[in-house]
Amino acid sequence: MKKLLPLSLFFLMMVSFTTSAQIVTSKKEAQKKGIYSYSEKENSTDNAVAVATEKPSKPTQGPAQPVITTTNNDNVAEAAPEVQQDAVTEKKEKKKKKRVTESQRPDPDYIPAPYENYLAMQIVNNAMEFEGVNYRSGGTTKDGMDCSGMVYTTFNIFDISLPRSSYEMAKAGRKIDLSDVRKGDLLFFDNNPRRKRINHVGLVTEVTEDGEIKFIHATLQLGVVVSSMSETYYDKTFVQANRVIEDDF
């Protein structure tokens, strides 16, 4: 009996040591040993906490820019203030250019007045450059010129060839009534009662609103000057008016 007692104690000690030395290495093993319980609800909560505590990653780019959307009419729907302002300005510029373009289009109903013949205006402008030139018989330059020489030289600038003398020049173009004359027409006179023939010519420079006819010509005493048909001398010596510049010239 005394020999069995030590053996019993030794056996009990070995069992106790084996039990206390067991190590739990997983949740499954702990569940099997009854030292850990686990439910789906608990697991969901843990996952939720894990997700909630996760810090959001920082954006790698700058702040998001507003989205710009446009329609076919180039109207801005959403835009940053600077972009929207630029779009509005560009739209205004397009409208302005459109208005300017439309204003430059010729009016289809516009009919230029007869006295606005461009070639006639240019001829008159060039003739006025000779105003003040001295009279010289047979002259055709600014050193001196006679009446037909002044008209001949002026038209020749535009490659329009007229006869050199006023008498022959009166045969050019077509005769018109004095009441129908306009800028660029020619007026012929006879200021030599003994010869009874055309010996003087002038170029119409203006017909005023009240009907006064002004013309440029070269006179013996004054040289190249502008006179008026309202003067008695020219009214008495007038013979005919000719038109050499037609509208479709």
Side-chain angles (χ1 to χ4, degrees):
M1 187 68 181
K2 290 181 180 180
K3 291 180 179 181
L4 291 174
L5 183 60
L7 291 173
S8 298
L9 291 173
F10 177 78
F11 178 76
L12 288 173
M13 290 176 63
M14 288 297 294
V15 171
S16 176
F17 176 79
T18 304
T19 303
S20 63
Q22 289 181 346
I23 299 174
V24 178
T25 59
S26 66
K27 287 184 179 180
K28 290 183 179 181
E29 186 177 353
Q31 288 175 337
K32 287 180 181 181
K33 294 183 178 296
I35 62 175
Y36 178 78
S37 63
Y38 160 81
S39 65
E40 292 293 333
K41 182 176 181 181
E42 182 182 359
N43 185 46
S44 299
T45 303
D46 292 341
N47 290 339
V49 172
V51 172
T53 57
E54 216 177 67
K55 292 184 179 180
S57 60
K58 294 183 179 180
T60 57
Q61 297 180 352
Q65 296 295 328
V67 177
I68 302 174
T69 58
T70 59
T71 65
N72 292 335
N73 294 328
D74 295 332
N75 295 323
V76 178
E78 297 178 10
E82 300 84 0
V83 178
Q84 188 174 11
Q85 183 64 32
D86 292 341
V88 172
T89 303
E90 183 179 356
K91 183 178 177 183
K92 289 181 179 180
E93 288 297 327
K94 287 181 179 179
K95 287 184 178 181
K96 184 177 179 181
K97 289 180 180 179
K98 184 177 181 182
R99 288 196 299 268
V100 172
T101 303
E102 290 179 350
S103 66
Q104 291 176 345
R105 293 175 182 172
D107 185 355
D109 298 326
Y110 173 73
I111 301 176
Y115 57 84
E116 292 180 337
N117 184 291
Y118 179 76
L119 178 58
M121 288 191 295
Q122 294 303 311
I123 288 176
V124 169
N125 290 341
N126 277 270
M128 294 299 295
E129 293 294 321
F130 298 127
E131 186 175 12
V133 172
N134 293 328
Y135 180 88
R136 176 181 292 179
S137 179
T140 57
T141 68
K142 287 188 175 182
D143 291 333
M145 52 180 53
D146 56 20
C147 62
S148 58
M150 187 274 295
V151 174
Y152 171 85
T153 301
T154 301
F155 276 80
N156 195 51
I157 294 173
F158 298 90
D159 296 326
I160 300 175
S161 181
L162 294 178
R164 178 61 185 82
S165 68
S166 57
Y167 178 78
E168 294 295 330
M169 198 177 289
K171 301 175 183 179
R174 61 185 177 90
K175 293 182 181 181
I176 57 175
D177 292 335
L178 184 62
S179 59
D180 293 332
V181 299
R182 66 193 188 199
K183 183 180 294 187
D185 290 338
L186 300 180
L187 303 178
F188 296 94
F189 304 87
D190 174 11
N191 55 18
N192 189 340
R194 289 181 289 184
R195 299 189 63 179
K196 301 293 182 181
R197 58 178 292 175
I198 292 173
N199 63 353
H200 190 67
V201 62
L203 173 67
V204 176
T205 58
E206 179 185 5
V207 179
T208 64
E209 293 182 357
D210 57 2
E212 181 183 3
I213 301 171
K214 296 181 179 181
F215 61 99
I216 187 170
H217 60 139
T219 66
L220 183 62
Q221 292 82 13
L222 302 175
V224 180
V225 294
V226 175
S227 300
S228 172
M229 284 297 296
S230 62
E231 298 176 36
T232 303
Y233 175 79
Y234 297 109
D235 180 58
K236 288 182 177 181
T237 58
F238 172 76
V239 177
Q240 69 184 55
N242 284 27
R243 177 163 296 159
V244 295
I245 305 172
E246 299 293 348
D247 294 335
D248 57 348
F249 186 86

